[in-house]
C-alpha cells in the first residue's frame, strides 16, 4: 500500500519527465527560494548589527551622562564642604553648641 507522499512524488516525477517546461519551472522555483533565503539571512545580519550599534551607542551615552552627573555631585559636595568650613570659622562657639546639642539629642534617642 503506497503512501500519499509517494503517490504525489510519482505523479510529479512522471509529469516532470514528460514536460520539460515543468522541470524548468521547478528549477526556477528552487533558485527563487534560495535567493529569498539568502536575502532573509542578510536582513537578519543587518538587523543584528544595527541592534548592536544601537546598544553600544546607548551605553556610551549613558556612561558619559553618568560621569557628568558624578562630576556635578562632587563639585556640589566640595562647595558644601567649603561653606560648612567657612561657617565654622566665622562662628566657632555656635558650631560647638550646635554639635553638643545634636550629640545630646542622639544620646537621648539611643538610650530609649
Amino acid at each position: 500500500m503506497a503512501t500519499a507522499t509517494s503517490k504525489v512524488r510519482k505523479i510529479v516525477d512522471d509529469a516532470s519527465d514528460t514536460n520539460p517546461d515543468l522541470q524548468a519551472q521547478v528549477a526556477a522555483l528552487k533558485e527563487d527560494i534560495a535567493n529569498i533565503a539568502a536575502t532573509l539571512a542578510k536582513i537578519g545580519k543587518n538587523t543584528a548589527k544595527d541592534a548592536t550599534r544601537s546598544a553600544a551607542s546607548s551605553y556610551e551615552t549613558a556612561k558619559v551622562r553618568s560621569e557628568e552627573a558624578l562630576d556635578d555631585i562632587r563639585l556640589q559636595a566640595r562647595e558644601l564642604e567649603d561653606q560648612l568650613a567657612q561657617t565654622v570659622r566665622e562662628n566657632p562657639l555656635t558650631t560647638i553648641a550646635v554639635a553638643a546639642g545634636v550629640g545630646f539629642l542622639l544620646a537621648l534617642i539611643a538610650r530609649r
Side-chain angles (χ1 to χ4, degrees):
M1 182 180 236
T3 64
T5 305
S6 64
K7 287 181 182 178
V8 170
R9 283 187 185 156
K10 185 176 184 221
I11 293 169
V12 170
D13 289 340
D14 290 342
S16 296
D17 292 338
T18 58
N19 190 348
D21 287 338
L22 185 58
Q23 288 178 339
Q25 289 176 354
V26 169
L29 185 59
K30 286 181 181 179
E31 185 178 332
D32 289 345
I33 290 173
N35 290 336
I36 289 171
T39 301
L40 290 175
K42 287 180 185 177
I43 290 171
K45 286 180 184 178
N46 290 339
T47 302
K49 287 179 183 178
D50 291 344
T52 302
R53 276 190 229 115
S54 177
S57 175
S58 296
Y59 169 77
E60 288 298 322
T61 301
K63 181 180 174 185
V64 168
R65 286 183 181 171
S66 64
E67 288 173 352
E68 290 172 355
L70 184 60
D71 290 341
D72 288 344
I73 291 170
R74 285 181 182 156
L75 180 62
Q76 291 175 0
R78 284 187 197 125
E79 289 174 357
L80 183 62
E81 180 184 6
D82 291 343
Q83 289 175 357
L84 184 60
Q86 183 65 28
T87 302
V88 169
R89 281 189 210 110
E90 290 174 359
N91 303 311
L93 293 178
T94 305
T95 305
I96 291 172
V98 169
V102 169
F104 180 73
L105 289 175
L106 289 175
L108 284 176
I109 293 171
R111 280 178 53 188
R112 291 184 182 192

